[in-house]
Amino acid sequence: MKDDEKIITIVGITGKMGTWFAKFFLERDWRVFGYSRTEDRLNQLMKGHPCFKESEKLDLTSRYHDCIPHSDWVLLSIPIPAHEAVIHEVAPLMKNGAIVVDIASVKGRIPEILRNAKKKHGINVLSTHPMFGPGASSMKNKNFILIDLQNDKTILKRFRALIEPEGPIIIESTPSEHDKYIAFTLALPHFMNLLFAKILREHQIDINLLKKFGGTTFHLQHLISQEVTLQEPFIYGTIEMENPAFKDLLRPYQQSSKEMIEIIKNGNYQAFERTFLDLREFYAKNDDYKSVMERFNAAAAISTEMLEKQHETSNRGDE
């Protein structure tokens, strides 16, 4: 390894986001160590990603001692509940001044654990959240949340300098603010879309027949709900179960649902209209609201066009 070489360890490289960030840093000529607890998963990774086999800058290992002491940066791409144990294992092996970064979707106790590791082991720490998934071709125009844990933004600025040339939309936040808003932007939509699917299943709905009765609103709602069910259940479970802010949100969710149910059961058109118009007024404060119908219909049109092409291809294959 060259003295001036930039070196990073991806803990959890066999996960989808770990793989994404490994490719990201390799494409920028970094030396990348990829860690996983099992050799089998590392072997599967190599089989599934031929570009890794061809790289002279990638080393895979199931031993922390082979990678952590050599790294300037350590990126944790691991399940939320695993952070405490992994940080306790990794931090003592890091060289003085090296930086450990988490990309967890929920912060919870992770910032506190990182700060304690900094005090005890003389390392630097940063908390981040890339607001995009492994299907993203780049981070351009994607939200990327950065959370300073050292009260001077030194490490935040260094990480920002690494990603800023790629064109993300960078948001600086705090752990509590992050979890509060993630409860609304991730946990709540996931919850509502799973509930939508659960109701369809419990009524044994024939989906193919149901779609014939659906309009644009159903088409997009059904699309989003289906997309949610394609994700990793454990990961999505941690986003809801590990975020105290989302658990706090469930009580007003129940209350709002109860109020709407009562309005409908009682046939209270006046209350329904008042609620409807209050919500419209609330949304109208957002500049994006001006183009909502245009974007809504455009999204539906794109999805419908893709479905039509899919059906044409399928029909040709049946001939």
Side-chain angles (χ1 to χ4, degrees):
M1 288 178 283
K2 301 174 184 176
D3 291 340
D4 61 346
E5 194 169 37
K6 292 175 286 190
I7 305 170
I8 187 168
T9 289
I10 311 288
V11 178
I13 192 173
T14 56
K16 292 179 180 179
M17 287 305 291
T19 300
W20 194 96
F21 275 103
K23 290 179 179 177
F24 174 85
F25 285 106
L26 286 170
E27 287 168 0
R28 285 147 187 84
D29 205 34
W30 283 53
R31 165 72 64 179
V32 175
F33 288 103
Y35 171 87
S36 178
R37 290 187 183 278
T38 64
E39 290 287 346
D40 285 346
R41 295 196 68 181
L42 292 173
N43 291 332
Q44 290 171 15
L45 179 73
M46 292 297 276
K47 289 178 183 177
H49 299 275
C51 62
F52 285 165
K53 279 187 178 181
E54 300 165 6
S55 176
E56 297 179 355
K57 292 264 189 175
L58 175 66
D59 294 292
L60 301 179
T61 180
S62 58
R63 288 169 39 87
Y64 282 136
H65 284 277
D66 293 338
C67 53
I68 301 299
H70 309 295
S71 299
D72 306 301
W73 295 78
V74 176
L75 187 142
L76 306 179
S77 183
I78 56 179
I80 295 166
H83 278 76
E84 183 166 14
V86 170
I87 292 167
H88 285 164
E89 290 180 87
V90 165
L93 301 175
M94 294 175 65
K95 56 188 179 182
N96 190 54
I99 304 161
V100 60
V101 181
D102 85 85
I103 59 169
S105 301
V106 175
K107 297 311 172 187
R109 292 187 58 247
I110 294 172
E112 175 191 351
I113 296 165
L114 286 171
R115 287 188 182 112
N116 288 340
K118 171 181 167 52
K119 292 177 185 176
K120 188 173 181 180
H121 301 289
I123 60 174
N124 289 302
V125 296
L126 179 69
S127 192
T128 76
H129 186 180
M131 295 298 296
F132 53 87
S137 58
S138 75
M139 63 176 71
K140 185 175 177 61
N141 296 325
K142 306 292 193 306
N143 292 339
F144 208 127
I145 301 169
L146 307 183
I147 301 173
D148 175 45
L149 300 179
Q150 302 194 173
N151 300 321
D152 61 5
K153 296 192 178 182
T154 302
I155 304 305
L156 184 150
K157 289 176 181 176
R158 286 181 63 183
F159 188 82
R160 183 176 188 132
L162 292 178
I163 64 170
E164 206 155 30
E166 313 307 319
I169 300 168
I170 296 174
I171 301 100
E172 295 187 18
S173 186
T174 64
S176 59
E177 181 184 58
H178 171 275
D179 285 358
K180 172 187 173 181
Y181 284 108
I182 290 301
F184 287 97
T185 62
L186 287 185
L188 183 59
H190 295 170
F191 179 84
M192 294 172 69
N193 279 287
L194 288 171
L195 187 59
F196 178 82
K198 190 171 187 292
I199 290 170
L200 294 184
R201 189 203 63 184
E202 290 178 352
H203 282 76
Q204 294 297 303
I205 293 293
D206 181 333
I207 296 295
N208 289 324
L209 178 59
L210 182 65
K211 288 189 291 187
K212 295 178 181 179
F213 291 83
T216 307
T217 301
F218 171 79
H219 178 89
L220 290 177
Q221 178 61 67
H222 189 222
L223 176 66
I224 296 170
S225 181
Q226 289 178 101
E227 191 275 339
V228 167
T229 64
L230 288 173
Q231 305 307 316
E232 173 57 46
F234 179 75
I235 300 298
Y236 271 46
T238 60
I239 290 171
E240 299 190 11
M241 297 182 202
E242 298 292 331
N243 190 347
F246 179 61
K247 293 178 181 177
D248 292 341
L249 187 58
L250 289 175
R251 182 168 293 180
Y253 177 89
Q254 286 179 308
Q255 182 60 35
S256 294
S257 298
K258 182 180 177 181
E259 289 171 3
M260 288 300 293
I261 290 169
E262 288 302 312
I263 287 172
I264 291 164
K265 278 185 174 180
N266 296 331
N268 190 338
Y269 281 89
Q270 185 178 10
F272 185 88
E273 182 177 356
R274 183 169 61 249
T275 301
F276 199 103
L277 294 177
D278 283 348
L279 296 175
R280 180 187 294 173
E281 183 181 357
F282 168 74
Y283 271 134
K285 297 173 184 176
N286 182 355
D287 289 340
D288 293 348
Y289 198 60
K290 297 172 184 176
S291 62
V292 68
M293 286 303 295
E294 182 181 355
R295 290 182 289 113
F296 176 86
N297 289 318
I302 292 170
S303 177
T304 300
E305 182 181 351
M306 291 179 70
L307 272 178
E308 289 172 353
K309 290 179 180 177
Q310 178 183 312
H311 292 155
E312 288 174 6
T313 303
S314 178
N315 290 337
R316 282 198 298 268
D318 293 339
E319 293 174 357

